[in-house]
């Protein structure tokens, strides 16, 4: 009988359930009924099994040769070399000269073990991960408002009964298509409201009476939200009883938004006063109201404050912690939630504990069997970590797991130069990503269907990933790699290779922390019972957070007044426009996986710059014509896509492509001062049409 395995998709945080049928000779994918996807999958999910047998798969360790080429090596030789260079780097330049960069796609077990390996085997504080580019502003806002960060503090199915859903800065119809099934109730009630500078596939779901689309200027979301708060307060729409019982800080908020009257907000955002008032009244109209934020409003230097403003709006409307309404943020990466809970972040220990908290350090040290003082202190966030490469006091050796920073990081050419300046670069991957191609050592690792593990979905539900096929003979799990390197480095504690054993240790390390997994086990998860954290021992988990209290000492949420500066839009002359970046339906993250699936590449083979017809006419740009897009950091050369679905002052470029089409050649590495989030969604660029003789590549 052909084997079948129940597991989950390797891509986004919706973690759609699927069934894999077959073996190493070939695997087919079928959708599986599950609350998040109800049997549906997107193009990426349907084609995900093609990655397992890709001809571009790395099947053995690879070492860079003096001439720049790569040669196959044995695992012993490769790991001996890595361990020797790590030890030499620490001896010569200190433990913090070694950096570790993780990923939001790693299983909980690998994310946990990576943080432990960095701190105990390497002794470095210099660890962070690509979730810093994704969820950090939403996480910071959630922590300061609620005392806890879980993307959706309620099951996604709760959205089915909503009458009003406000989505700010997320194109779920393309990034996680099965999610839109949960918007049907709000659409039927005419209550789907989408805020986005583009008329995206999600914005189109509001057409024909299903809701409304607000199309503000890029980067004006904070002003928009402050204006909505102003209207709610001045029109006496706030839930004063809820505010009095469950929050602190309202008086300061009321004073702080007085300057954002509707007409001024219209002048700043371009959103008409009538739309602003209608939206505020709709949100306050009754039960079944949800506010959801995404990267579009968070990937800014004021992203934490913008997410905080969305939370403030939710709190004064009395939405959060009720049985019928709520606020949430839409996690992007497959394990973006779990990946930030168990030790990959520079300032955290397992269980979402603060690394600066003596009690947290003592607890985790007890589980690890080490003295608390042996655990390094807080490190530096991802952008700062990457910027330190090659600097006198920066990192000189870097280990990369589950990330492709040459494409995904802002100011990408500076990152590329930093990688070249390193003494030693090790990349664990299953393909020669653009980052792996620059490494000194590339270690081939298992893919999603070749390993057991757990993931935590966007709703805080811990789910099981199961082995469906055997990994190729020369490929190893990161858990095995950590163990082998730790042994060579004489690391304290133990580094297990059995995912179930690692998970049990993770659960013990998380006990008592904000993200408490201590009541979970593979045995419990294998029953199929829903498992939402916090799940302390002896409990049945927490599907809905904040029903009785928030996770501050007094049980109240913090309304944190935030302020917006008035910023002038770039002059719309000489091709000067505002660039926003984002995703396509067919591709995922840096494209390191999806650009190796023929069907997806055929559908979207290249990056195209979206711009408005009036703007295109002014610049002499034809649909399909070539353009240069230039910022102070670099140049992108690509074709144009002329569409009425974008503002005339804005252009859009997907970030999945490398080389001369890499959007992050243009973006800045300036960051949010609270979260460390880069400014991906507001870059001033100059667009120029290219003549026929200029259309050659320029690398």
């Amino acid at each position: 009988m052909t084997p079948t395995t129940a597991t989950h998709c390797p891509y986004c945080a919706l973690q759609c359930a699927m069934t894999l049928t077959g073996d190493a000779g070939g695997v087919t994918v079928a959708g599986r009924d599950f609350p998040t996807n109800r049997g549906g999958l997107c193009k990426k999910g349907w084609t995900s099994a093609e990655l397992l047998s890709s001809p571009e798969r790395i099947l053995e360790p690879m070492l860079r040769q003096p001439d720049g080429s790569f040669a196959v090596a044995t695992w012993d030789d490769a790991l001996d070399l890595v361990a020797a260079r790590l030890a030499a780097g620490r001896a010569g330049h200190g433990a913090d000269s070694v950096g570790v960069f993780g990923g939001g796609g790693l299983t909980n077990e690998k994310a946990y073990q990576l943080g432990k390996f960095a701190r105990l085997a390497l002794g470095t504080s210099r660890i962070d991960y690509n979730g810093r580019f994704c969820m950090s502003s939403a996480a910071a806002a959630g922590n300061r408002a609620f005392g806890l960060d879980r993307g959706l503090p309620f099951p996604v199915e709760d959205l089915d009964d909503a009458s009003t859903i406000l989505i700010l800065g997320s194109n779920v119809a393309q990034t996680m298509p099965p999610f839109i099934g949960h918007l049907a109730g709000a659409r039927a009630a005419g209550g789907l409201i989408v805020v986005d500078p583009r008329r995206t596939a999600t914005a189109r779901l509001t057409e024909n009476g299903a809701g409304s689309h607000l199309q503000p200027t890029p980067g004006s979301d904070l002003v928009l939200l402050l204006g909505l708060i102003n209207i709610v307060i001045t029109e006496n729409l706030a839930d004063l009883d809820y505010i009095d019982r469950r929050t602190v800080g309202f008086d300061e908020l009321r004073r702080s938004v007085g300057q954002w009257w509707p007409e001024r907000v219209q002048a700043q955002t371009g959103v008409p006063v009538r739309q602003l008032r209608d939206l505020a009244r709709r949100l306050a109209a009754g039960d079944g109201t949800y506010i959801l934020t995404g990267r579009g409003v968070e990937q800014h230097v004021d992203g934490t404050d913008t997410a905080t403003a969305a939370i403030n709006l939710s709190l004064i409307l009395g939405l959060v912690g009720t049985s019928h309404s709520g606020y949430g943020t839409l996690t992007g990466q497959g394990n973006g939630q779990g990946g930030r809970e168990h030790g990959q972040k520079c300032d955290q220990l397992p269980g979402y504990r603060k690394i600066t908290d003596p009690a947290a350090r003592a607890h985790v040290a007890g589980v690890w069997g080490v003295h608390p003082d042996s655990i390094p202190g807080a490190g530096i966030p991802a952008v700062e970590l990457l910027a330190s490469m090659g600097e006198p006091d920066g990192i000189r050796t870097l280990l990369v797991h589950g990330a492709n920073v040459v494409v995904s990081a802002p100011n990408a050419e500076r990152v590329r130069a930093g990688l070249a300046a390193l003494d030693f670069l090790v990349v664990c991957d299953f393909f020669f990503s653009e980052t792996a191609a620059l490494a000194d050592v590339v270690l081939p690792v298992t893919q999603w269907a070749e390993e057991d593990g757990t993931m935590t979905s966007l709703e805080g539900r811990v789910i099981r990933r199961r082995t469906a096929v055997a990994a190729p003979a020369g490929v190893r799990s990161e858990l095995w790699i950590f163990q082998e390197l730790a042994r060579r480095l004489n690391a304290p504690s133990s580094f297990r290779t059995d995912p179930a054993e690692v998970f049990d240790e993770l659960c013990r390390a998380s006990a008592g922390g904000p993200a408490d997994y201590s009541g979970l086990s593979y045995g419990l998860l294998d029953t199929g019972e829903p498992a939402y954290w916090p799940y302390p021992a002896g409990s049945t988990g927490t599907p809905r957070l904040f029903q009785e209290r928030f996770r501050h000492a007094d049980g109240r949420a913090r309304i944190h007044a935030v302020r917006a500066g008035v910023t002038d839009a770039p002059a719309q002359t000489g091709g000067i426009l505002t660039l926003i970046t984002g995703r396509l339906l067919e591709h995922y993250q840096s494209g390191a996986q999806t650009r190796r699936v023929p069907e997806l590449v055929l559908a979207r083979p290249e990056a195209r710059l979206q711009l408005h017809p009036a703007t295109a006419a002014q610049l002499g740009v034809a649909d399909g014509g070539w353009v240069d897009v230039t910022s102070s950091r670099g140049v992108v050369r690509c074709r144009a896509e002329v569409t009425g679905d974008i503002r005339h002052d804005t252009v859009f470029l997907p970030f999945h492509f490398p080389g001369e089409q890499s959007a992050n050649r243009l973006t800045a590495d300036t960051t949010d001062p609270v979260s460390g989030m880069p400014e991906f969604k507001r870059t001033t660029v100059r667009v120029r049409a290219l003549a026929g003789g200029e259309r050659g590549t320029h690398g």
Side-chain angles (χ1 to χ4, degrees):
M1 181 179 293
T2 305
T4 62
T5 305
T7 190
H8 293 264
C9 180
Y11 292 115
C12 81
L14 196 58
Q15 284 296 285
C16 295
M18 57 171 53
T19 300
L20 302 183
T21 302
D23 51 31
V27 175
T28 59
V29 174
R32 180 165 60 88
D33 189 46
F34 195 69
T36 54
N37 64 309
R38 294 168 177 158
L41 298 171
C42 73
K43 288 182 178 181
K44 295 184 289 291
W46 285 117
T47 58
S48 56
E50 294 186 31
L51 297 171
L52 302 171
S53 57
S54 170
E56 297 184 60
R57 184 82 184 267
I58 305 172
L59 300 175
E60 297 175 278
M62 307 293 288
L63 305 185
R64 184 176 294 280
Q65 303 302 296
D67 65 358
S69 65
F70 283 94
V72 171
T74 67
W75 273 101
D76 278 342
D77 286 347
L79 294 176
D80 286 347
L81 173 62
V82 172
R85 295 297 297 269
L86 290 171
R90 291 178 58 191
H93 305 286
D96 278 354
S97 71
V98 179
V100 177
F101 199 95
L106 300 179
T107 62
N108 287 318
E109 294 79 1
K110 291 191 287 189
Y112 167 81
Q113 199 88 305
L114 181 62
K116 180 180 178 181
F117 175 81
R119 295 181 172 102
L120 297 190
L122 301 178
T124 183
S125 69
R126 290 332 196 223
I127 175 172
D128 212 64
Y129 81 128
N130 63 9
R132 188 69 64 175
F133 304 154
C134 181
M135 289 302 301
S136 56
S137 289
N143 277 320
R144 74 181 180 185
F146 308 135
L148 191 70
D149 156 42
R150 197 178 91 186
L152 294 185
F154 50 82
V156 70
E157 295 168 283
D158 285 6
L159 296 172
D160 296 341
D161 297 324
S163 58
T164 301
I165 299 176
L166 169 61
I167 300 178
L168 298 126
S170 181
N171 184 15
V172 289
Q174 290 199 306
T175 58
M176 47 181 71
F179 184 91
I180 66 175
H182 299 287
L183 307 178
R187 294 180 68 205
L192 178 63
I193 300 100
V194 176
V195 176
D196 201 302
R198 296 193 299 143
R199 190 184 296 116
T200 62
T202 306
R204 290 189 180 280
L205 295 175
T206 67
E207 296 173 355
N208 301 316
S212 59
H213 173 210
L214 279 63
Q215 206 166 1
T217 56
S220 65
D221 308 285
L222 178 53
V223 169
L224 175 70
L225 286 161
L226 296 177
L228 291 172
I229 293 170
N230 176 289
I231 294 169
V232 168
I233 293 173
T234 57
E235 295 193 5
N236 298 314
L237 302 174
D239 187 335
L240 297 180
D241 177 65
Y242 177 98
I243 292 168
D244 183 60
R245 288 185 298 106
R246 304 211 59 190
T247 73
V248 295
F250 177 64
D251 289 342
E252 175 60 23
L253 176 70
R254 179 167 45 196
R255 288 190 292 269
S256 70
V257 299
Q259 63 183 302
W260 293 112
W261 57 89
E263 291 77 13
R264 189 183 187 208
V265 173
Q266 173 181 288
Q268 283 287 301
T269 67
V271 177
V273 169
R274 176 188 54 78
Q275 276 195 312
L276 295 169
R277 293 192 185 278
D278 287 349
L279 174 53
R281 293 164 185 169
R282 174 90 196 197
L283 292 172
D287 291 348
T289 298
Y290 290 83
I291 296 176
L292 306 176
T293 62
R295 304 303 81 73
V297 299
E298 297 159 7
Q299 288 179 326
H300 294 281
V301 293
D302 58 5
T304 300
D305 284 351
T306 304
T308 298
I311 291 172
N312 289 342
L313 177 61
S314 304
L315 288 171
I316 67 170
L317 291 168
L319 307 182
V320 187
T322 69
S323 60
H324 50 76
S325 297
Y327 162 84
T329 184
L330 298 170
T331 303
Q333 294 188 79
N335 201 31
Q337 181 70 63
R340 66 184 186 269
E341 294 168 2
H342 299 301
Q344 284 192 99
K345 291 180 77 172
C346 67
D347 55 352
Q348 288 179 191
L349 290 171
Y352 224 132
R353 286 183 161 89
K354 293 181 179 179
I355 202 167
T356 54
D357 178 3
R361 295 171 64 84
H363 174 83
V364 174
V367 174
W368 288 351
V370 300
H371 193 279
D373 291 347
S374 69
I375 300 174
I380 54 179
V383 173
E384 189 177 346
L385 179 71
L386 294 175
S388 77
M389 293 187 297
E391 296 297 317
D393 296 322
I395 56 172
R396 304 175 70 98
T397 300
L398 180 65
L399 282 68
V400 178
H401 298 263
N404 186 15
V405 294
V406 172
V407 178
S408 64
N411 200 353
E413 289 306 296
R414 178 180 176 181
V415 171
R416 178 183 290 274
L419 291 170
L422 291 170
D423 295 340
F424 197 61
L425 173 63
V426 182
V427 175
C428 287
D429 211 325
F430 19 87
F431 300 118
F432 263 107
S433 69
E434 286 71 26
T435 304
L438 302 176
D440 297 289
V441 177
V442 182
L443 301 177
V445 294
T446 48
Q447 289 196 57
W448 59 290
E450 300 163 351
E451 60 186 13
D452 279 335
T454 60
M455 308 284 277
T456 305
S457 72
L458 81 172
E459 53 180 359
R461 178 170 176 155
V462 185
I463 57 177
R464 278 277 277 121
R465 174 178 283 182
R466 296 179 177 87
T467 301
V469 297
V475 168
R476 300 287 186 272
S477 166
E478 282 98 329
L479 297 180
W480 181 85
I481 293 171
F482 298 148
Q483 183 187 69
E484 289 294 310
L485 287 175
R487 178 174 60 81
R488 286 168 168 82
L489 293 168
N490 297 313
S493 193
S494 61
F495 291 83
R496 301 181 186 277
T497 61
D498 183 334
E501 294 179 358
V502 176
F503 186 72
D504 287 345
E505 183 182 309
L506 176 161
C507 292
R508 294 195 305 274
S510 74
D516 189 334
Y517 282 35
S518 61
L520 294 174
S521 66
Y522 274 29
L524 187 149
L525 296 175
D526 284 341
T527 68
E529 287 297 311
Y532 296 89
W533 71 263
Y535 205 117
S539 78
T540 56
T542 316
R544 294 172 183 84
L545 291 167
F546 316 133
Q547 296 288 290
E548 297 179 0
R549 57 183 287 115
F550 295 95
R551 208 180 189 278
H552 292 295
D554 59 3
R556 293 170 176 260
R558 301 297 189 261
I559 295 175
H560 188 96
V562 294
R563 291 169 173 79
V566 178
T567 57
D568 295 327
Q572 307 299 311
T573 59
I576 302 296
L577 299 159
T578 299
L579 168 73
I580 55 179
T581 66
R583 298 180 182 178
L584 301 173
L585 170 64
E586 292 81 2
H587 291 295
Y588 180 71
Q589 300 297 83
S590 73
Q593 296 173 83
T594 51
R595 286 187 279 108
R596 289 170 169 85
V597 177
E599 180 180 334
L600 301 179
V601 173
L602 183 65
R604 288 284 189 168
E606 62 183 1
R608 292 206 172 201
L609 183 80
Q610 287 189 352
L611 71 168
H612 191 273
T615 306
Q618 181 184 18
L619 299 178
V621 174
D623 188 40
W626 287 88
V627 293
D628 265 357
V629 190
T630 306
S631 76
S632 60
R633 289 157 296 279
V635 181
V636 164
R637 178 165 293 184
C638 63
R639 294 183 189 272
E641 178 184 338
V642 179
T643 173
D645 291 341
I646 194 165
R647 291 177 55 94
H648 67 88
D649 54 3
T650 306
V651 291
F652 169 84
L653 195 64
F655 54 55
H656 313 293
F657 298 91
E660 67 172 8
Q661 296 184 0
S662 176
N664 283 318
R665 283 184 165 189
L666 305 170
T667 54
D669 50 9
T670 51
T671 58
D672 182 298
V674 178
S675 67
M677 170 75 81
E679 175 91 85
F680 284 120
K681 302 298 188 191
R682 181 173 46 189
T683 302
T684 300
V685 297
R686 181 186 299 274
V687 177
R688 180 175 70 92
L690 296 180
E694 296 181 277
R695 294 177 186 173
T697 63
H698 60 197

